[in-house]
Amino acid sequence: MKAIFTILGVIAVSVVICVSAWETRAEQREGLVVHTVTVSAPHTVVGIQEVMPLTVVAMDANGDTIDGLTATWRSSNDSVATVNADGLLTPVAEGATIIAATVGGKAGEVEVTVVWSASDVDFAQTTPVKSMSGLLHGLNSVGLPTPDDSLISPLAPKLWRTTPNVVPTARARGLGARYELLLSDMWNYPLNGWPNGRPWVDTVRFDSLIRSTARLLGGQIDVWEIWNEPDPTFNTKFWDGTEQQFFETYLRAYNILRAELGPDALIAGPSITHYDQEYLDRFAAFCIANGCEANVLTWHELGGFHPIQGIEDDLANARARFINGSANGALNVREIHINEYNSPYEIYSPASSLLYIQYLERGGADAAARSCWSDSSGISDCFNNSLDGLLEPDGFQPRSVWWAYRLYAQGVDGRVCGDAQRRQVLCLASVLTPSSQALPGNAIAQVLTGVADVDGGPSGVALGIRLAGVNALSGLQSATKIRVQLFRVSPSGTEGTSTAPELVSDQQYDLDGGKTNIILAATLQNAVYQVALLSVP
């Protein structure tokens, strides 16, 4: 028994010695051994809505990591961002702050800038899209001078929705646009007093128009659209019959077009005022039951029914329901066109107009056309040679929104991954090529950004752009610096003209692994900013 107690005594002494040694080592780890402390952040530019974890690493004099130590966190400016005991940063307001972590008596820090919204752009990730540049009428070829092609070709319109008495088919198609013929414009509407009669009553005359037009223009039309806005959601300007009467009118026109043009003709409909799934379901059910198709499914996005960003969901829903889903396969939908977009309140706003385009792209629309409205004098931008309000109609001087479309068109074929944190913020990023005729001429990439006056988008806020993949750009594979020119397309007010984009700054930025941050301070509401990347000589 005595031997056992002796052994236990030895064990007890050993435990005391071990605990004492552990305490000594812990004291050394916290006070004597820590040599450097490094604080890291996923991003040094963050948006106000972005909560971000920070990391801290303590190392000894040999550069070995010391684990298990507690860090004490501190923000130099809690009014800009706070940091909790776990190193979680919460932005509060725009500005800069230094976040410090202390471990074992040593401190490390990182500076973080908080902006109203941050966008991420990766030039190494291409995301091919279809161009949403398109026009609705926009000219008046009868008896009036029209804008020169040099004012149209830089916009690279891919869709032109109109009639030959407004825009000749050869001119539109010669500029690279698909011609969408609006047959109902050739008949007329309730807003004009139905001068040709109601198509569901005067069926012989209506059918004759459809047949003769198909025979006359058969080889000149890319898309045949039967009627504009047959759902009287806003008013009865374009249709004052019943839904069933429209369906039957569509069926008759479809049968004539198919008989005259053959199985490959693209016939479009129903071109309703907004995305209405129930209406489209009823339209599809009628066509499937009666043998008609809508090869191009069409509707309008004119604001007012839901926020602009809802366009993306509308398109996803329609594609799943009417193209990818088997239930409506007999409708034979091949494409989706938003053949009018933009509200009368945003039509002259550069940022808002491109924001519509942004969500059309993200939703995967196949084509789109800008809408046209009456100007302040009551004259329609559809028929005054203003290209739907992009130009001043008397002297054809570009408005600011024309310049925004010009910059969009030069980048659409080189789209790369880009995303903004807030729905009011524009983020369209592109790789540019010499064939894009870029502005400025030596730009190799661009980001279009800005805050639109949509859902409370403010003025005077800072935007951040976190660039990645810059070394994937041609000629920059081993670059350590990048030159960035910042241009601004300022809103020119209602119907005002605008000069070319204004150079705001010209700076060089260091690249770290192909990454750098750009901050745009005090941005102007509704302005479009072009961040143009150029190689450093």
Side-chain angles (χ1 to χ4, degrees):
M1 183 67 68
K2 181 177 180 181
I4 294 175
F5 285 129
T6 303
I7 293 172
L8 291 176
V10 172
I11 294 173
V13 172
S14 299
V15 170
V16 170
I17 293 173
C18 288
V19 170
S20 177
W22 182 87
E23 290 177 345
T24 301
R25 286 197 298 273
E27 183 180 272
Q28 289 176 338
R29 286 161 64 88
E30 294 188 6
L32 301 177
V33 179
V34 176
H35 187 261
T36 59
V37 172
T38 302
V39 178
S40 300
H43 306 290
T44 56
V45 173
V46 297
I48 291 176
Q49 295 182 319
E50 186 176 13
V51 176
M52 183 174 66
L54 306 175
T55 57
V56 59
V57 175
M59 291 181 289
D60 61 19
N62 296 321
D64 296 325
T65 301
I66 306 173
D67 297 321
L69 302 183
T70 300
T72 302
W73 294 90
R74 179 179 61 86
S75 171
S76 68
N77 192 343
D78 285 339
S79 65
V80 171
T82 61
V83 60
N84 68 10
D86 296 320
L88 189 66
L89 180 141
T90 301
V92 177
E94 290 182 19
T97 185
I98 295 174
I99 306 298
T102 301
V103 182
K106 297 290 184 179
E109 60 186 35
V110 63
E111 183 174 4
V112 174
T113 301
V114 177
V115 294
W116 187 73
S117 179
S119 299
D120 288 294
V121 171
D122 190 346
F123 289 107
Q125 294 188 33
T126 58
T127 55
V129 296
K130 295 179 180 178
S131 174
M132 296 297 108
S133 181
L135 297 167
L136 169 62
H137 301 311
L139 297 180
N140 185 348
S141 63
V142 180
L144 292 174
T146 60
D148 189 78
D149 284 357
S150 63
L151 290 168
I152 305 174
S153 59
L155 309 179
K158 300 301 181 185
L159 184 71
W160 209 321
R161 179 178 183 242
T162 187
T163 56
N165 65 313
V166 177
V167 182
T169 57
R171 186 176 189 192
R173 299 176 90 195
L175 288 162
R178 296 169 75 189
Y179 202 102
E180 183 171 322
L181 178 64
L182 186 48
L183 285 162
S184 58
D185 268 27
M186 301 177 69
W187 175 259
N188 235 294
Y189 301 105
L191 64 88
N192 307 110
W194 287 119
N196 296 319
R198 291 170 170 81
W200 65 92
V201 175
D202 295 277
T203 56
V204 173
R205 187 186 303 175
F206 179 76
D207 293 355
S208 177
L209 171 72
I210 302 299
R211 185 174 293 107
S212 61
T213 303
R215 291 175 179 177
L216 178 65
L217 301 175
Q220 304 173 44
I221 305 303
D222 300 291
V223 180
W224 298 80
E225 181 187 348
I226 293 173
W227 205 270
N228 177 67
E229 296 187 355
D231 58 322
T233 302
F234 291 136
N235 48 52
T236 55
K237 286 183 178 180
F238 298 102
W239 189 265
D240 59 6
T242 67
E243 181 176 287
Q244 184 67 21
Q245 286 168 338
F246 166 66
F247 289 172
E248 292 171 356
T249 300
Y250 182 93
L251 174 62
R252 289 202 327 275
Y254 170 85
N255 285 334
I256 294 169
L257 291 172
R258 187 63 73 207
E260 295 291 337
L261 302 170
D264 296 329
L266 294 179
I267 300 173
S271 295
I272 51 179
T273 55
H274 65 289
Y275 185 69
D276 183 340
Q277 180 185 298
E278 293 180 355
Y279 185 103
L280 292 174
D281 283 343
R282 294 192 298 271
F283 172 75
F286 173 87
C287 269
I288 291 171
N290 292 277
C292 56
E293 299 176 349
N295 312 124
V296 180
L297 191 67
T298 53
W299 71 87
H300 301 165
E301 294 282 359
L302 305 176
F305 291 99
H306 52 58
I308 289 177
Q309 64 273 13
I311 294 172
E312 188 174 357
D313 292 335
D314 292 346
L315 285 160
N317 181 277
R319 189 166 295 278
R321 197 170 189 84
F322 299 104
I323 295 182
N324 298 332
S326 59
N328 294 300
L331 192 60
N332 196 18
V333 178
R334 306 177 205 172
E335 300 180 22
I336 297 176
H337 292 187
I338 308 303
N339 52 18
E340 287 191 35
Y341 69 86
N342 226 325
S343 81
Y345 312 105
E346 298 150 346
I347 200 71
Y348 302 112
S349 165
S352 294
S353 294
L354 292 196
L355 200 65
Y356 275 93
I357 285 177
Q358 173 171 293
Y359 290 112
L360 288 168
E361 274 194 8
R362 291 182 183 178
D366 294 290
R370 171 182 168 86
S371 61
C372 48
W373 305 88
S374 295
D375 64 17
S376 58
S377 66
I379 297 175
S380 174
D381 280 335
C382 299
F383 308 110
N384 63 357
N385 291 310
S386 69
L387 299 181
D388 305 330
L390 297 176
L391 303 175
E392 188 276 324
D394 293 329
F396 306 142
Q397 294 301 308
R399 291 170 172 159
S400 57
V401 69
W402 183 93
W403 288 104
Y405 272 66
R406 165 71 172 85
L407 295 178
Y408 168 78
Q410 75 180 25
V412 67
D413 289 338
R415 183 72 67 239
V416 297
C417 182
D419 193 24
Q421 292 171 336
R422 293 183 184 259
R423 59 182 179 270
Q424 304 97 332
V425 175
L426 179 69
C427 182
L428 292 169
S430 309
V431 176
L432 304 179
T433 62
S435 61
S436 67
Q437 299 179 340
L439 292 176
N442 51 348
I444 57 177
Q446 72 175 17
V447 182
L448 301 181
T449 191
V451 180
D453 183 15
V454 173
D455 299 337
S459 188
V461 295
L463 301 178
I465 303 178
R466 303 186 294 226
L467 300 181
V470 176
N471 291 136
L473 297 172
S474 177
L476 295 178
Q477 286 78 4
S478 58
T480 58
K481 291 182 178 294
I482 184 68
R483 181 184 175 191
V484 176
Q485 290 185 332
L486 179 64
F487 293 86
R488 181 177 61 215
V489 178
S490 299
S492 52
T494 303
E495 303 163 30
T497 59
S498 173
T499 57
E502 171 190 6
L503 180 63
V504 176
S505 66
D506 187 342
Q507 301 182 50
Q508 289 191 16
Y509 291 81
D510 292 329
L511 292 175
D512 182 4
K515 298 180 179 181
T516 193
N517 297 319
I518 310 293
I519 296 177
L520 288 69
T523 55
L524 183 64
Q525 184 189 62
N526 286 331
V528 167
Y529 291 84
Q530 181 201 26
V531 179
L533 277 64
L534 300 81
S535 60
V536 177

